[in-house]
């Protein structure tokens, strides 16, 4: 004897064959959607686990520091292209030379990293009298100081006027050229760089008619 059709509470009557098919289809779609979502979550968790292993589990050594710049060799090469000697500062052994290059045809610049801050020694070739001030953003000297017989214009730069963290600078002529020592530094450290180029500045002055 055939079973009586099931009465659906929501309908208050037995459901039709079409309604039964629709209900089963909806149930099947909901099941597949739920399974797909669970699979997505599982895949995401697996991906996170793999990334975590790569990031935290694979040993990685620190990148080696780049070799310091060879200031003397770079100066010799650049001097040949501009036809005049360029400054090779004499500085303490713990001052790292980060770069030494000719910028255009008008400036030779060496960048050092002393134990604290940074300092640049710039040699302006045939620079105008205002070149140092222009390089420092238009600042005027705040005084003068004599270092190893060389008189330098001194720039003590207050925090409000600092650009690129430049806090102190020294400038002097070297014959037809200008030498500018500047950086995130203090008077004592800048004086070390000034002493390291004093003799070369005197030689440049002698060579200028």
């Amino acid at each position: 004897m055939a079973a009586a059709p099931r009465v659906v509470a929501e309908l208050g009557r037995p459901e039709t064959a079409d309604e039964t098919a629709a209900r089963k289809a909806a149930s099947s779609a909901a099941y597949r959607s739920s399974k797909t979502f669970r699979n997505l979550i599982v895949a995401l968790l697996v991906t996170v686990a793999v990334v975590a292993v790569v990031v935290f589990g694979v040993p990685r050594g620190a990148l080696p520091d780049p070799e310091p710049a060879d200031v003397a060799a770079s100066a010799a090469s650049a001097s040949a292209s501009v036809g005049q000697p360029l400054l090779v500062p004499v500085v303490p052994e713990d001052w790292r030379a980060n770069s030494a290059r000719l910028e255009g045809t008008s400036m030779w610049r060496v960048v050092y990293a002393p134990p604290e801050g940074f300092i640049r020694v710039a040699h302006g070739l045939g620079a105008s009298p205002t070149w140092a001030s222009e390089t420092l953003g238009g600042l005027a000297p705040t005084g003068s100081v004599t270092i190893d017989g060389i008189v330098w214009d001194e720039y003590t730069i207050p925090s409000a006027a600092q650009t690129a963290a430049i806090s102190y600078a020294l400038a002097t002529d070297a014959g037809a050229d200008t030498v500018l020592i500047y950086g995130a530094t203090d008077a004592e450290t800048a004086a070390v760089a000034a002493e390291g180029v004093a003799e070369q500045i005197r030689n440049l002055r002698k060579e200028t008619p």
Side-chain angles (χ1 to χ4, degrees), residues 20-151:
T20 299
R23 174 173 55 78
K24 291 181 178 180
S27 176
S28 178
Y31 173 77
R32 287 196 301 272
S33 176
S34 174
K35 187 174 181 180
T36 299
F37 179 75
R38 288 197 300 271
N39 289 342
L40 178 62
I41 295 299
V42 170
L44 181 60
L45 292 175
V46 170
T47 301
V48 170
V50 170
V51 171
V53 169
V54 172
V55 172
F56 299 107
V58 177
R60 296 182 299 278
L63 292 175
D65 291 333
E67 289 294 320
D70 188 334
V71 178
S74 297
S77 175
S79 293
S81 66
V82 296
Q84 73 168 78
L86 299 173
L87 297 181
V88 179
V90 179
V91 298
E93 290 184 0
D94 60 351
W95 285 29
R96 178 186 176 84
N98 285 340
S99 68
R101 64 176 183 268
L102 188 65
E103 300 186 7
T105 58
S106 61
M107 182 171 68
W108 162 252
R109 182 161 63 183
V110 184
V111 181
Y112 289 103
E116 293 185 10
F118 67 87
I119 196 162
R120 299 166 180 162
V121 179
H123 182 174
L125 311 180
S128 70
T130 61
W131 174 76
S133 178
E134 292 168 356
T135 302
L136 296 173
L139 295 174
T142 53
S144 64
V145 60
T146 301
I147 302 169
D148 195 6
I150 304 288
V151 178

Side-chain angles (χ1 to χ4, degrees), residues 132-182:
S133 178
E134 292 168 356
T135 302
L136 296 173
L139 295 174
T142 53
S144 64
V145 60
T146 301
I147 302 169
D148 195 6
I150 304 288
V151 178
W152 296 79
D153 287 331
E154 184 179 39
Y155 299 78
T156 301
I157 305 170
S159 298
Q162 290 180 15
T163 58
I166 305 302
S167 57
Y168 187 81
L170 296 169
T172 192
D173 73 279
D177 302 338
T178 298
V179 178
L180 176 63
I181 296 172
Y182 64 116

